[in-house]
Amino acid sequence: MKYNVVVVGGGPAGLGAAVEAKRNGANTVLIIERDRELGGILNQCIHNGFGLHEFKEELTGPEYAHRFIEMAKEEKIDYMLNTMVLNINEDKTIETLGEDGLIDIEADAIVLAMGCRERTRGAIDIPGYRPAGVYNAGAAQRLSNMEGYMVGKEIVIYGSGDIGLIMARRMTLEGAKVKAVVEVNPHSSGLTRNIVQCLDDFEIPLKLSTGISYIHGKQRVEGVTINKLDENRNPIEGTEEFIKCDTVLLSVGLIPENELSVDAGVNLDMKTNGPIVNNTMTTNIDGVFACGNVVHVHDLVDFVTQESKIAGKNAALYCLNKSQKNPTVSTVASEGIGYIVPQNIDPQSEEDINLFMRVRSVYSNKKLVVKCEDKVILEKKRIHMIPSEMERIKISKDLLKNITGSISVSVEEA
Ligand SMILES: Cc1cc2nc3c(=O)[nH]c(=O)nc-3n(C[C@H](O)[C@H](O)[C@H](O)COP(=O)(O)OP(=O)(O)OC[C@H]3O[C@@H](n4cnc5c(N)ncnc54)[C@H](O)[C@@H]3O)c2cc1C
């Protein structure tokens, strides 16, 4: 089997990239997906809130995915389901394992769109036995929304990222009592709208600067001990509180799924855990592109789609030998900024470039300052910035022409 563009992963990133590759001239495009259907994580996100930027409508996850699946079908894009990509070789042969056994597929260009996976209990070392009733929040979401299983009756959620918040509401609507959402940071790590709509509206307590220090129970979870934490995240003695529950949902972070990328020789950014890319979403390997949660964890799927369109278009141009290889300059996360994607940009780009970034802390009334070699080239005032909401700055193609060396972004007094 031989294709112009092969996309690994059939979530919103993979679907968007495949459609755009086809629309930009790639003759043959294939999506390889290990799950039983296309759509990725969106299939289990039955709440609304997707697509406000892309479609100017509020869709559920499956509705959003459906629109792209229909586009992929209209574009006559091939796809393989229940098929796992095992390896990507130097010559861009892709080794897969599916219902028909091991199949090698040759590609001119590859788009990596494998999404991310959840951090587990093992990664955060909560003491206690290993009773039944400890789930990752995303796994519990799949069980309840797709497989029809309810995971518990009295629930404590650890981590107030979006998945934790969404699951607090989902479990409540399904008839469980969510006793608390426990968060180690002094602020929630989810979108503000999710705190309001998923916790406040249901009077679910959010316990900030608090950790779970023990999970009780041998056969089944019987409760948790929580502790207030000091500024170094150490438990404060005397603040212990026992909460009776039969289930603990962990929403303690997502990790871009990059084993395949690393084995293929793709360089990762230690801050994002995703591939280092330039503004065309090209990795360090010619003809290998990446987009979506595999590059960095997104809070909004619309931005995943934006990125995937860039990756798909440039994968097609690569196949048509139309991609330009101009030198790039690096983007530097300065004071107050955790990371920036893309890590490299081409000042000769004929298109505006969006820089995506996350701030390190909560800031009010500050500005984001973009500098090129210490000279300010752009400033954007922000009333409120939090680490959980991705910031975006557009560098217009006219402004790009003034860029002579690496550019930095910092948080400064407004
Ligand atoms: C609980 C939750 C709630 C969210 N709520 C919102 C919201 O309200 N609004 C919003 O805009 N966004 C929301 N998001 C964010 C948004 O859904 C994600 O950012 C987006 O789905 C990421 O898309 P992706 O294609 O990069 O990854 P995914 O959707 O994870 O897709 C990756 C795909 O790659 C496949 N794959 C991985 N490895 C392989 C392999 N080796 N071989 C073959 N296939 C492979 C996986 O099976 C998967 O289908 C939410 C996310 C979650 C988890």
Side-chain angles (χ1 to χ4, degrees):
M1 288 170 89
K2 187 163 173 32
Y3 281 86
N4 290 140
V5 177
V6 175
V7 179
V8 186
L15 286 162
V19 168
E20 210 60 17
K22 198 73 195 284
R23 288 181 181 167
N24 281 278
N27 278 329
T28 52
V29 179
L30 171 71
I31 301 173
I32 307 174
E33 169 56 54
R34 67 182 169 193
D35 210 339
R36 61 185 181 227
E37 53 200 330
L38 295 172
I41 198 81
L42 293 181
N43 288 330
Q44 63 185 63
C45 298
I46 59 173
H47 56 281
N48 59 358
F50 297 83
L52 285 169
H53 296 261
E54 183 65 19
F55 295 111
K56 311 278 177 272
E57 289 178 62
E58 219 183 6
L59 304 172
T60 64
E63 283 170 339
Y64 190 97
H66 179 73
R67 295 211 178 173
F68 277 93
I69 293 170
E70 286 303 300
M71 287 181 223
K73 287 183 179 162
E74 272 164 35
E75 296 294 340
K76 301 202 170 19
I77 289 165
D78 288 348
Y79 56 91
M80 293 164 79
L81 300 176
N82 299 314
T83 305
M84 179 89 180
V85 172
L86 301 176
N87 210 3
I88 298 173
N89 298 320
E90 226 172 280
D91 62 355
K92 299 200 182 68
T93 315
I94 298 168
E95 297 170 14
T96 69
L97 177 63
E99 287 160 348
D100 296 326
L102 289 163
I103 297 178
D104 284 357
I105 298 161
E106 287 173 45
D108 296 327
I110 296 171
V111 180
L112 305 171
M114 290 89 72
C116 55
R117 63 162 173 267
E118 298 180 278
R119 286 175 82 207
T120 57
R121 179 177 173 183
I124 51 168
D125 281 341
I126 312 172
Y129 287 94
R130 294 284 176 269
V134 182
Y135 294 88
N136 277 344
Q141 186 182 48
R142 185 172 174 113
L143 282 171
S144 106
N145 295 352
M146 290 179 76
E147 316 290 344
Y149 292 104
M150 186 60 182
V151 291
K153 291 180 183 154
E154 291 190 308
I155 300 175
V156 169
I157 298 181
Y158 200 15
S160 65
D162 289 315
I163 311 179
L165 299 174
I166 298 277
M167 283 307 285
R169 178 175 62 184
R170 169 59 39 208
M171 291 291 96
T172 307
L173 293 174
E174 295 291 347
K177 173 81 187 151
V178 177
K179 296 276 194 82
V181 174
V182 178
E183 167 62 55
V184 292
N185 287 309
H187 50 82
S188 162
S189 4
L191 296 172
T192 310
R193 71 171 195 217
N194 282 338
I195 300 168
V196 176
Q197 293 171 6
C198 300
L199 299 190
D200 298 353
D201 286 0
F202 297 92
E203 294 177 354
I204 297 170
L206 171 61
K207 294 183 180 283
L208 298 172
S209 299
T210 305
I212 294 182
S213 49
Y214 202 87
I215 297 179
H216 301 266
K218 257 189 174 177
Q219 300 298 323
R220 174 85 201 189
V221 172
E222 289 167 10
V224 292
T225 297
I226 60 169
N227 270 83
K228 277 281 173 202
L229 304 176
D230 64 20
E231 62 275 14
N232 299 317
R233 289 203 187 161
N234 293 319
I236 302 173
E237 238 179 87
T239 61
E240 294 80 13
E241 185 188 336
F242 176 77
I243 304 180
K244 185 176 159 292
C245 62
D246 56 32
T247 303
V248 179
L249 299 190
L250 302 175
S251 173
V252 289
L254 299 167
I255 306 167
E257 199 153 334
N258 275 300
E259 286 73 11
L260 265 183
S261 323
V262 171
D263 287 348
V266 170
N267 291 340
L268 301 192
D269 178 338
M270 289 306 127
K271 289 183 187 158
T272 56
N273 285 319
I276 296 172
V277 289
N278 67 19
N279 52 289
T280 61
M281 303 311 288
T282 312
T283 66
N284 58 303
I285 302 181
D286 242 16
V288 177
F289 301 78
C291 56
N293 275 2
V294 83
V295 178
H296 58 137
V297 177
H298 292 67
D299 29 77
L300 292 182
V301 72
D302 309 65
F303 294 152
V304 168
T305 296
Q306 243 185 50
E307 235 176 59
S308 69
K309 286 182 178 173
I310 297 173
K313 176 179 171 183
N314 285 287
L317 295 181
Y318 177 85
C319 298
L320 300 168
N321 286 323
K322 285 188 188 163
S323 54
Q324 294 200 345
K325 289 197 187 85
N326 298 327
T328 57
V329 299
S330 53
T331 57
V332 181
S334 240
E335 196 57 38
I337 304 290
Y339 74 78
I340 303 176
V341 169
Q343 291 83 351
N344 298 303
I345 61 170
D346 168 10
Q348 292 175 50
S349 166
E350 278 160 21
E351 285 173 19
D352 301 341
I353 294 176
N354 279 308
L355 299 182
F356 291 100
M357 65 203 75
R358 283 186 194 272
V359 292
R360 283 185 188 281
S361 189
V362 177
Y363 298 105
S364 294
N365 297 317
K366 301 271 179 195
K367 59 186 179 186
L368 291 169
V369 180
V370 185
K371 291 179 191 155
C372 175
E373 293 177 328
D374 291 336
K375 195 171 145 237
V376 175
I377 57 167
L378 187 65
E379 291 186 342
K380 292 278 173 198
K381 279 196 180 162
R382 294 286 193 267
I383 294 170
H384 195 59
M385 291 187 285
I386 49 175
S388 52
E389 290 189 16
M390 201 153 69
E391 293 292 332
R392 188 175 47 147
I393 295 186
K394 187 193 274 183
I395 313 278
S396 69
K397 53 183 185 229
D398 295 333
L399 197 56
L400 280 171
K401 295 195 177 84
N402 302 330
I403 290 175
T404 48
S406 68
I407 65 167
S408 66
V409 184
S410 53
V411 178
E412 295 186 14
E413 292 301 329

